[in-house]
Amino acid sequence: DVKVTQSSRYLVKRTGEKVFLECVQDMDHENMFWYRQDPGLGLRLIYFSYDVKMKEKGDIPEGYSVSREKKERFSLILESASTNQTSMYLCASTHGGSYEQYFGPGTRLTVT
Amino acid sequence: QQQVKQSPQSLIVQKGGISIINCAYENTAFDYFPWYQQFPGKGPALLIAIRPDVSEKKEGRFTISFNKSAKQFSLHIMDSQPGDSATYFCAARYTGTASKLTFGTGTRLQVTL
């Protein structure tokens, strides 16, 4: 079974803190994605990566950065957390060319 | 802007009834249209997908209908069961990208007894 794990299920941070969200997949997938999920807005793509050290902006990259130093690991970084970044963050991975993305369970981040 | 528009936002169906969720897209540079199902506390998981050159695809009680000329597609859940209660997302895959998807806004389905 494909497994995508995220470092935390719940996270509470203060405004201005630097936040790291980690995602690890065990299926040697080339592509990895970070989304945020908000009620009424669906899943919105923040960043994605199609290879180690490669990254591309998604639809809402502002306020976020990413890092992919190893194929299995994709990190989302909030340089200076703000309250409008309170959300559910979902990581996903897939083989190149597949439309099936495998999602982690999500991290619910609250910024106070 | 939302590339894939999904409706309704929420849906209540009686057990045994048919659930219908609709999506419409604008960009023609999509080559696959998957549907994802998400249960509370879980990440979304692929349910069923269709190519734009096919008008219908059926897997068990789940059917996708696709109308290429109208740029619309829909998910039908026949004989809906309480276990189908979940949030459903339609999506579209961009042609020639690293499997990049754009998602609809989601439909929360509740199947009542």
Side-chain angles (χ1 to χ4, degrees):
Chain A
D1 267 0
V2 176
K3 196 165 185 184
V4 179
T5 56
Q6 295 185 229
S7 49
S8 305
R9 293 300 302 269
Y10 300 94
L11 210 52
V12 179
K13 295 292 182 181
R14 292 191 183 274
T15 302
E17 277 193 84
K18 190 168 187 175
V19 181
F20 292 87
L21 302 181
E22 300 281 327
C23 175
V24 179
Q25 50 94 3
D26 66 357
M27 282 301 291
D28 203 35
H29 285 167
E30 297 86 1
N31 307 317
M32 297 188 74
F33 307 82
W34 275 106
Y35 297 90
R36 62 178 283 176
Q37 181 176 6
D38 300 288
L41 296 177
L43 300 168
R44 293 180 294 165
L45 181 64
I46 304 171
Y47 267 96
F48 66 102
S49 169
Y50 52 89
D51 202 351
V52 175
K53 296 192 187 295
M54 305 303 286
K55 61 185 178 185
E56 285 200 25
K57 293 179 180 178
D59 300 319
I60 52 164
E62 296 78 20
Y64 304 95
S65 62
V66 291
S67 173
R68 193 164 180 204
E69 297 296 319
K70 293 185 177 181
K71 190 174 186 179
E72 67 271 17
R73 190 178 297 267
F74 192 34
S75 302
L76 180 70
I77 304 153
L78 288 65
E79 294 290 342
S80 178
S82 64
T83 55
N84 64 12
Q85 293 178 310
T86 291
S87 186
M88 171 68 81
Y89 289 88
L90 290 161
C91 175
S93 72
T94 188
H95 272 304
S98 172
Y99 55 76
E100 181 169 13
Q101 294 190 7
Y102 295 86
F103 283 83
T107 295
R108 183 164 294 282
L109 173 67
T110 302
V111 182
T112 61
Chain B
Q1 72 266 22
Q2 198 75 33
Q3 297 262 20
V4 178
K5 292 182 167 57
Q6 182 171 349
S7 63
Q9 190 170 355
S10 64
L11 185 59
I12 300 175
V13 173
Q14 277 199 321
K15 180 182 174 183
I18 303 173
S19 304
I20 301 173
I21 303 169
N22 300 300
C23 286
Y25 63 97
E26 297 172 355
N27 191 335
T28 55
F30 295 133
D31 64 358
Y32 259 101
F33 297 86
W35 285 86
Y36 282 76
Q37 178 187 54
Q38 183 182 30
F39 293 107
K42 305 282 187 184
L46 179 68
L47 181 64
I48 186 173
I50 195 167
R51 296 192 328 252
D53 57 344
V54 174
S55 60
E56 185 175 282
K57 183 172 181 181
K58 184 175 181 180
E59 288 185 3
R61 296 184 293 107
F62 299 90
T63 300
I64 302 177
S65 299
F66 193 88
N67 185 331
K68 189 173 182 178
S69 60
K71 296 182 186 174
Q72 294 175 347
F73 58 110
S74 59
L75 177 69
H76 296 235
I77 306 174
M78 312 301 287
D79 186 26
S80 298
Q81 298 297 312
D84 297 329
S85 297
T87 299
Y88 293 82
F89 294 96
C90 61
R93 187 180 76 170
Y94 291 91
T95 305
T97 64
S99 306
K100 180 181 167 185
L101 299 176
T102 185
F103 286 85
T105 51
T107 297
R108 178 174 282 187
L109 170 66
Q110 183 182 352
V111 181
T112 60
L113 294 171

